[in-house]
Amino acid sequence: QVQLVESGGGLVQPGGSLRLSCAVSGQSGMYFRINFMAWYRQSPGNQRELVALIRGSNTHYVDSVRDRFIISRDNAENTMSLQMNSLKPEDTAVYYCYAEGYNQRYDLKYDYWGQGTQVTVSS
């Protein structure tokens, strides 16, 4: 069973930085792979929005975080990170790790979500 666990959230001042990490566990079987991973966030009164996505070496960022956030995965693809710089109060949200899994043997896709980690940007 694939599990995603976020860490690294907390309280930071505007202009500060945080690095979120998502640990991927439970991957097994020669037919399983992760198609892509992404970070989403949701704050009160707002829909959950895609923040950043990584598929292989390709990345995508929502306009509001472009040039401030960097999404990455390690070479073994066991972890995913979101380096957040120049944080703003409007970045305050619960950040969720997401992965689209794929079982090649059965041609099935799966949505995997972490529990979320709170990021609060405030002075």
Side-chain angles (χ1 to χ4, degrees):
Q1 178 79 338
V2 174
Q3 295 186 42
L4 307 178
V5 180
E6 302 97 335
S7 63
L11 174 65
V12 296
Q13 295 183 349
S17 298
L18 277 178
R19 184 177 178 87
L20 305 183
S21 295
C22 175
V24 183
S25 64
Q27 297 185 72
S28 63
M30 59 186 295
Y31 302 104
F32 179 84
R33 67 179 177 91
I34 292 175
N35 287 336
F36 68 89
M37 297 187 70
W39 288 97
Y40 286 76
R41 68 185 180 187
Q42 187 169 25
S43 58
N46 295 313
Q47 299 180 48
R48 186 172 297 188
E49 68 170 346
L50 175 66
V51 178
L53 182 150
I54 183 165
R55 184 193 296 268
S57 61
N58 296 318
T59 59
H60 165 80
Y61 300 93
V62 69
D63 287 344
S64 60
V65 309
R66 187 172 293 111
D67 298 325
R68 297 190 298 120
F69 292 7
I70 301 173
I71 188 171
S72 63
R73 294 179 68 183
D74 70 4
N75 291 333
E77 299 185 347
N78 291 322
T79 60
M80 178 182 66
S81 298
L82 184 68
Q83 178 65 45
M84 304 186 295
N85 301 314
S86 301
L87 284 162
K88 304 175 180 179
E90 50 263 45
D91 295 319
T92 296
V94 177
Y95 285 71
Y96 297 90
C97 179
Y98 169 85
E100 181 184 273
Y102 178 67
N103 189 302
Q104 186 177 14
R105 182 176 185 180
Y106 300 105
D107 191 27
L108 294 174
K109 293 180 180 178
Y110 303 90
D111 293 335
Y112 298 106
W113 290 94
Q115 293 296 308
T117 185
Q118 177 71 47
V119 172
T120 302
V121 184
S122 176
S123 60

mmCIF file of all heavy atoms in Angstrom, residues 24 27 34 37 56 73-80:
data_model
loop_
_atom_site.group_PDB
_atom_site.id
_atom_site.type_symbol
_atom_site.label_atom_id
_atom_site.label_comp_id
_atom_site.label_asym_id
_atom_site.label_seq_id
_atom_site.Cartn_x
_atom_site.Cartn_y
_atom_site.Cartn_z
ATOM 1 N N VAL A 24 7.614 8.790 0.257
ATOM 2 C CA VAL A 24 6.817 7.777 -0.413
ATOM 3 C C VAL A 24 7.241 6.413 0.101
ATOM 4 O O VAL A 24 8.422 6.074 0.081
ATOM 5 C CB VAL A 24 6.982 7.830 -1.937
ATOM 6 C CG1 VAL A 24 6.085 6.797 -2.609
ATOM 7 C CG2 VAL A 24 6.682 9.225 -2.456
ATOM 8 N N GLN A 27 5.821 1.199 -1.979
ATOM 9 C CA GLN A 27 5.929 0.826 -3.379
ATOM 10 C C GLN A 27 6.499 -0.581 -3.487
ATOM 11 O O GLN A 27 7.551 -0.875 -2.919
ATOM 12 C CB GLN A 27 6.821 1.789 -4.147
ATOM 13 C CG GLN A 27 6.303 3.209 -4.204
ATOM 14 C CD GLN A 27 7.173 4.078 -5.079
ATOM 15 O OE1 GLN A 27 7.177 3.950 -6.308
ATOM 16 N NE2 GLN A 27 7.921 4.972 -4.457
ATOM 17 N N ILE A 34 5.055 5.517 -10.392
ATOM 18 C CA ILE A 34 4.379 6.788 -10.172
ATOM 19 C C ILE A 34 4.490 7.615 -11.448
ATOM 20 O O ILE A 34 5.595 7.893 -11.917
ATOM 21 C CB ILE A 34 4.980 7.541 -8.976
ATOM 22 C CG1 ILE A 34 4.665 6.792 -7.681
ATOM 23 C CG2 ILE A 34 4.441 8.972 -8.909
ATOM 24 C CD1 ILE A 34 5.302 7.389 -6.450
ATOM 25 N N MET A 37 4.060 13.406 -9.560
ATOM 26 C CA MET A 37 3.750 13.842 -8.212
ATOM 27 C C MET A 37 3.517 15.337 -8.219
ATOM 28 O O MET A 37 3.961 16.047 -9.128
ATOM 29 C CB MET A 37 4.877 13.477 -7.238
ATOM 30 C CG MET A 37 5.095 11.984 -7.093
ATOM 31 S SD MET A 37 6.298 11.540 -5.801
ATOM 32 C CE MET A 37 5.370 11.980 -4.324
ATOM 33 N N GLY A 56 8.769 13.386 -14.375
ATOM 34 C CA GLY A 56 10.114 13.229 -14.882
ATOM 35 C C GLY A 56 10.904 14.484 -14.581
ATOM 36 O O GLY A 56 10.978 14.934 -13.437
ATOM 37 N N ARG A 73 12.359 15.927 -7.000
ATOM 38 C CA ARG A 73 12.352 14.557 -6.514
ATOM 39 C C ARG A 73 13.780 14.047 -6.490
ATOM 40 O O ARG A 73 14.604 14.457 -7.310
ATOM 41 C CB ARG A 73 11.484 13.652 -7.394
ATOM 42 C CG ARG A 73 10.016 13.960 -7.371
ATOM 43 C CD ARG A 73 9.247 13.029 -8.276
ATOM 44 N NE ARG A 73 9.232 11.658 -7.784
ATOM 45 C CZ ARG A 73 8.676 10.632 -8.430
ATOM 46 N NH1 ARG A 73 8.100 10.832 -9.603
ATOM 47 N NH2 ARG A 73 8.714 9.420 -7.898
ATOM 48 N N ASP A 74 14.062 13.159 -5.550
ATOM 49 C CA ASP A 74 15.400 12.598 -5.512
ATOM 50 C C ASP A 74 15.565 11.557 -6.616
ATOM 51 O O ASP A 74 14.589 11.156 -7.271
ATOM 52 C CB ASP A 74 15.721 12.031 -4.130
ATOM 53 C CG ASP A 74 14.936 10.777 -3.785
ATOM 54 O OD1 ASP A 74 14.178 10.261 -4.623
ATOM 55 O OD2 ASP A 74 15.082 10.299 -2.641
ATOM 56 N N ASN A 75 16.789 11.122 -6.801
ATOM 57 C CA ASN A 75 17.079 10.216 -7.914
ATOM 58 C C ASN A 75 16.355 8.884 -7.793
ATOM 59 O O ASN A 75 15.995 8.272 -8.807
ATOM 60 C CB ASN A 75 18.591 9.981 -8.011
ATOM 61 C CG ASN A 75 19.343 11.217 -8.457
ATOM 62 O OD1 ASN A 75 18.804 12.075 -9.151
ATOM 63 N ND2 ASN A 75 20.615 11.304 -8.075
ATOM 64 N N ALA A 76 16.163 8.441 -6.578
ATOM 65 C CA ALA A 76 15.465 7.178 -6.351
ATOM 66 C C ALA A 76 13.954 7.349 -6.373
ATOM 67 O O ALA A 76 13.220 6.360 -6.318
ATOM 68 C CB ALA A 76 15.895 6.568 -5.029
ATOM 69 N N GLU A 77 13.498 8.584 -6.426
ATOM 70 C CA GLU A 77 12.072 8.909 -6.441
ATOM 71 C C GLU A 77 11.344 8.379 -5.216
ATOM 72 O O GLU A 77 10.168 8.021 -5.270
ATOM 73 C CB GLU A 77 11.405 8.415 -7.728
ATOM 74 C CG GLU A 77 11.981 9.032 -8.984
ATOM 75 C CD GLU A 77 11.240 8.633 -10.252
ATOM 76 O OE1 GLU A 77 10.436 7.681 -10.192
ATOM 77 O OE2 GLU A 77 11.464 9.273 -11.288
ATOM 78 N N ASN A 78 12.045 8.381 -4.111
ATOM 79 C CA ASN A 78 11.426 7.977 -2.860
ATOM 80 C C ASN A 78 10.918 9.162 -2.055
ATOM 81 O O ASN A 78 10.156 8.977 -1.103
ATOM 82 C CB ASN A 78 12.410 7.170 -2.013
ATOM 83 C CG ASN A 78 12.703 5.814 -2.611
ATOM 84 O OD1 ASN A 78 11.821 5.156 -3.155
ATOM 85 N ND2 ASN A 78 13.953 5.370 -2.497
ATOM 86 N N THR A 79 11.351 10.349 -2.425
ATOM 87 C CA THR A 79 10.892 11.555 -1.757
ATOM 88 C C THR A 79 10.643 12.656 -2.773
ATOM 89 O O THR A 79 11.219 12.659 -3.860
ATOM 90 C CB THR A 79 11.904 12.067 -0.716
ATOM 91 O OG1 THR A 79 13.146 12.378 -1.357
ATOM 92 C CG2 THR A 79 12.138 11.028 0.373
ATOM 93 N N MET A 80 9.793 13.571 -2.401
ATOM 94 C CA MET A 80 9.533 14.764 -3.186
ATOM 95 C C MET A 80 9.598 15.954 -2.247
ATOM 96 O O MET A 80 9.161 15.863 -1.097
ATOM 97 C CB MET A 80 8.156 14.694 -3.852
ATOM 98 C CG MET A 80 7.812 15.944 -4.658
ATOM 99 S SD MET A 80 6.154 15.888 -5.408
ATOM 100 C CE MET A 80 5.114 15.915 -3.945
#
